[in-house]
């Protein structure tokens, strides 16, 4: 009896150990300015960094030195890295245009992928990526910083509670900063961020995607009727190839979203206003927000991630999703982000032609 009990405990212990084994994660490209999030991340046992693919050898050496990484982690090309390190998941930190190539390499190998926002520069590539992910049963996520904000999740809860603001009518989203050059992004990032092919556009793509992502979340993946957009080049001497300011109007049968995406704000911002027929919620930052409901006076409130748990680490979220510990969040989802790419492509077309684009 003791022998069988011992064997049972051994099997149970082994099962737990396997379940808690870190997810083998690799990085595809390191030119994105957000890549320090993964390269400088302190080990907490949920993921294991097993490989980094980057063709720019000087950049690889620079980051290896800065973050004290083993040079053996670095590979010159993605396929060699995948075949030799055999990761379970890949996070993409190259240009947006390169996202498709990452999925084409990873999905057939059964490797999950998380890309930085947005999913793709165009609908054709996005649909190809989705097709591959579905065919090979792999995750394909899109990471947005605003997914981590407890103030936005609280706003969503208040809007879904019809007694808070009434029927949801309008969202206004302000996103952006002073400009890539003004905030001194690294040269490798700047090179493709201001390229109409590699980035798909300028501020319209870089920051317009946040508003499209959030409105799609609040509308529960309902497809919009039309998109109208106006873009500007207020600083053509800095950004001659792409827009540096965009206003996007997204129309639904009973709601509207206005996205103000810019590289011309006097300061960095990611905030939104949500209006119903009985009140509003306005976020100021990750934790601060204001509410007015009915005839009540406006209330200033604060919400922390301790009060309303949200993942403020995309890699922890990715690992827990792969291990089956949580369910997918709509903001990261493929369904949401396919709609986002459709909105952005329509906005780009509208700005080019000066006409409303119907979806």
């Amino acid at each position: 009896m003791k022998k069988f009990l011992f064997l049972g405990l051994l099997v149970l212990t082994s099962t737990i150990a396997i379940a808690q084994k870190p997810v083998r994660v690799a990085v595809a490209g390191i030119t994105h300015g957000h890549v320090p999030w993964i390269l400088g991340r302190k080990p907490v046992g949920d993921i294991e960094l097993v490989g980094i693919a980057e063709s720019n050898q000087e950049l690889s050496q620079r980051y290896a030195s800065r973050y004290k990484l083993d040079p053996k982690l670095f590979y010159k090309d993605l396929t060699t890295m995948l075949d030799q390190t055999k990761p379970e998941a890949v996070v993409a930190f190259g240009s947006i245009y390169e996202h498709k190539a990452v999925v084409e390499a990873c999905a057939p190998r059964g490797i999950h992928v998380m890309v930085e926002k947005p999913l793709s520069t165009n609908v054709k590539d996005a649909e190809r990526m989705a097709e591959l992910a579905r065919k090979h049963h792999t995750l394909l996520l899109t990471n947005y910083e605003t997914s981590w904000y407890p103030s936005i999740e609280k706003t969503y809860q208040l809007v879904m509670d019809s007694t808070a603001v009434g029927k949801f009518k309008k969202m206004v989203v302000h996103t952006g900063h002073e400009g890539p050059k003004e905030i001194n992004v690294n040269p490798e990032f700047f090179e493709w961020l201001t390229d109409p092919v590699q980035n798909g556009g300028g501020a319209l793509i870089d920051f317009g995607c946040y508003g499209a992502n959030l409105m799609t979340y609040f509308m529960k993946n309902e497809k919009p009727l039309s998109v109208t957009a106006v873009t500007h080049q207020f600083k053509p001497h800095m950004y001659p190839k792409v827009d540096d300011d965009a206003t996007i109007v997204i129309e639904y049968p009973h709601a509207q979203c206005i996205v103000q995406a810019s590289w011309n704000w006097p300061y960095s911002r990611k905030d939104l206003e949500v209006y119903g027929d009985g009140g509003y919620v306005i976020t100021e930052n990750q934790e601060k927000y204001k509410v007015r409901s009915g005839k009540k006076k406006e209330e200033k409130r604060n919400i922390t991630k301790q009060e309303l748990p949200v993942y403020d680490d995309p890699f922890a979220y990715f690992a827990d999703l792969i291990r089956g510990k949580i369910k997918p969040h709509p903001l990261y989802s493929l369904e949401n982000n396919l709609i986002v790419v459709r909105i952005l492509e329509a906005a780009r077309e509208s700005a080019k032609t000066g006409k409303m684009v119907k979806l």
Side-chain angles (χ1 to χ4, degrees):
M1 180 67 180
K2 289 183 179 180
K3 181 179 179 180
F4 287 116
L5 180 61
F6 171 76
L7 288 173
L9 288 171
L10 184 61
V11 170
L12 179 61
T13 303
S14 299
T15 302
I16 293 172
I18 292 170
Q20 295 178 341
K21 189 177 180 180
V23 176
R24 293 174 59 80
V25 174
V27 180
I30 57 174
T31 57
H32 199 297
H34 294 170
V35 76
W37 292 347
I38 182 77
L39 299 186
R41 188 178 189 263
K42 294 181 180 179
V44 293
D46 55 350
I47 66 172
E48 177 188 2
L49 183 60
V50 297
I52 301 166
E54 175 55 55
S55 60
N56 186 329
Q57 298 302 290
E58 188 279 327
L59 182 62
S60 294
Q61 291 171 7
R62 191 195 318 162
Y63 275 130
S65 176
R66 181 182 301 175
Y67 296 104
K68 297 178 173 55
L69 298 170
D70 187 342
K72 293 180 180 179
L73 284 172
F74 291 83
Y75 294 79
K76 293 181 181 180
D77 67 273
L78 179 60
T79 55
T80 300
M81 186 268 286
L82 295 177
D83 290 340
Q84 293 192 15
T85 64
K86 293 181 170 37
E88 297 172 76
V90 161
V91 289
F93 283 99
S95 76
I96 300 167
Y97 182 77
E98 293 170 334
H99 288 173
K100 180 169 76 79
V102 174
V103 176
E104 286 177 333
C106 292
R109 291 174 168 84
I111 300 170
H112 306 294
V113 175
M114 181 168 68
V115 303
E116 284 299 292
K117 55 80 187 172
L119 175 65
S120 175
T121 62
N122 61 83
V123 172
K124 183 179 178 181
D125 284 2
E127 289 180 339
R128 171 61 176 161
M129 293 160 67
E131 177 189 4
L132 286 167
R134 288 164 177 160
K135 178 180 178 181
H136 298 286
H137 307 288
T138 56
L139 296 171
L140 177 52
L141 310 179
T142 307
N143 178 41
Y144 293 81
E145 181 186 342
T146 42
S147 302
W148 319 339
Y149 290 10
S151 61
I152 287 179
E153 189 60 27
K154 185 61 180 180
T155 300
Y156 179 81
Q157 290 183 359
L158 291 169
V159 170
M160 293 305 113
D161 176 7
S162 60
T163 63
V165 299
K167 187 177 180 180
F168 175 43
K169 295 284 189 179
K170 185 187 291 287
M171 177 185 289
V172 183
V173 187
H174 312 101
T175 53
H177 49 47
E178 300 92 321
K181 190 175 184 66
E182 290 86 343
I183 67 170
N184 298 313
V185 303
N186 66 59
E188 294 82 9
F189 189 24
F190 185 86
E191 183 179 356
W192 67 256
L193 187 60
T194 57
D195 184 278
V197 175
Q198 294 297 320
N199 190 56
L204 183 149
I205 300 295
D206 189 29
F207 284 108
C209 61
Y210 286 100
N213 174 245
L214 291 168
M215 186 61 174
T216 302
Y217 176 40
F218 277 66
M219 294 300 293
K220 298 182 178 179
N221 290 353
E222 180 180 341
K223 295 178 182 179
L225 296 174
S226 65
V227 177
T228 307
V230 177
T231 58
H232 291 94
Q233 279 185 307
F234 290 120
K235 295 178 282 194
H237 58 293
M238 290 186 182
Y239 313 111
K241 297 179 181 180
V242 295
D243 63 277
D244 55 49
D245 188 271
T247 300
I248 307 168
V249 180
I250 311 166
E251 294 286 351
Y252 297 82
H254 305 291
Q256 180 190 74
C257 179
I258 301 170
V259 184
Q260 295 180 318
S262 183
W263 289 345
N264 289 283
W265 293 113
Y267 49 85
S268 179
R269 64 186 304 188
K270 290 185 181 76
D271 54 86
L272 60 81
E273 304 168 10
V274 174
Y275 299 93
D277 56 14
Y280 61 73
V281 184
I282 300 175
T283 70
E284 184 177 334
N285 54 34
Q286 296 185 29
E287 298 183 347
K288 294 181 180 179
Y289 66 103
K290 298 180 290 187
V291 180
R292 184 169 182 177
S293 182
K295 296 181 180 180
K296 297 179 182 178
K297 292 183 178 180
E298 180 181 274
E299 294 181 37
K300 293 184 177 181
R301 299 179 183 177
N302 196 69
I303 187 78
T304 66
K305 66 177 183 179
Q306 285 74 31
E307 297 170 282
L308 180 57
V310 292
Y311 277 87
D312 60 358
D313 183 332
F315 313 111
Y317 167 79
F318 198 16
D320 283 355
L321 193 58
I322 290 169
R323 290 292 181 250
K325 295 181 180 179
I326 57 173
K327 293 181 179 180
H329 192 290
L331 283 167
Y332 288 85
S333 74
L334 182 55
E335 292 72 22
N336 176 301
N337 286 288
L338 284 170
I339 296 173
V340 170
V341 177
R342 289 188 180 279
I343 290 170
L344 295 177
E345 185 169 277
R348 192 167 51 210
E349 180 65 19
S350 174
K352 181 181 178 180
T353 62
K355 298 178 180 179
M356 173 194 292
V357 174
K358 294 183 178 180
L359 299 179

